[in-house]
Amino acid sequence: MARKTTTDDPLAPVTLAVGQEDLLLDRAVQQVVAAARAADPDTDVRDLTPDALQPGTLAELTSPSLFAERKVVVVRSAQDLSADTIKDVKGYLGAPAEEITLVLLHAGGAKGKGLLDAARKAGAREVACPKMTKPADRLAFVRSEFRTSGRSATPEACQALVDAIGSDLRELASAVSQLAADVEGTIDEAVVGRYYTGRAEASSFTVADRAVEGRAAEALEALRWAMATGVAPVLITSALAQGVRAIGKLASAPRGARPGDLARELGMPPWKIDRVRQQMRGWSADGVSIALRAVAEADAGVKGGGDDPEYALEKAVVTIARAARAGRS
């Protein structure tokens, strides 16, 4: 779980979420937004990437309002802000505005360390969101999720869930939530086996998520695991198509629109809007076109147009991952 220091008040003037674990970073943001909307249902939330936060933008967003509206300003990847914008943020930290909560998401590390140090010196509430790279960390996460849900799970069940799901914290959290909602009494290894052995749909979307995030090696690993456990190739091409199309839909949507409005317009749940918004960094219109062609070729290959469905899928996954990374170089 994310660890908090300095103060536990999510409505502190500044919250600093540090780390590279996307789920924990998102939860840090969601906690602040939930607290703000509990205090004022009309709270305005602005979720910004570095390219959207130009010099002067923060001053505009935090300027006093005639209606004294509550506002949450989220700045993602704060380590990537321009030098001039960092000056603006540092200046704001010295005199934060009332009724406004600033949330800075920072990867940690050396890049942008001056901003990190300035936020800490200013007394920002800090939430640690470290990347969980060790199996033991993910096992501890699953146990914590069950405790938080008020449910009991055996050690064997927790381990079986980590073995079945893998390293994706979002999927682990979702699996715990599903088990907690569906199963009465203590959750044991047999229950986990019934629910998650050979999870065709979940494993196909894991392949798609890793591919559109540009993580080719992890996508290929997930693909081979899916194929080895009997997932139908058509499910994987379908998941890849949905992942790429979601990127294209959100990329063409109006900038600055709220997740709820986008969800209605694009036909996606709000949580997926947030997820796709993170995945689309680095994508271009040309990249989406290239990826869609790759999916179409793979679809033809797995439906009889080629001799090796697995090779067709591997080729598509690599092409999609390259397209995802192309805009970052």
Side-chain angles (χ1 to χ4, degrees), residues 142-192:
V142 167
R143 290 171 176 164
S144 177
E145 291 289 290
F146 276 120
R147 285 196 300 270
T148 300
S149 69
R151 299 303 308 279
S152 175
T154 66
E156 294 79 10
C158 294
Q159 185 63 62
L161 196 59
V162 172
D163 292 342
I165 303 293
S167 61
D168 191 303
L169 251 60
R170 291 184 190 278
E171 288 198 23
L172 285 169
S174 176
V176 170
S177 179
Q178 181 178 13
L179 288 168
D182 292 356
V183 179
E184 295 183 359
T186 299
I187 296 164
D188 59 20
E189 187 176 7
V191 169
V192 173

Side-chain angles (χ1 to χ4, degrees), residues 41-52:
D42 295 324
T43 294
D44 182 19
V45 179
R46 302 298 179 93
D47 197 324
L48 306 170
T49 53
D51 61 320

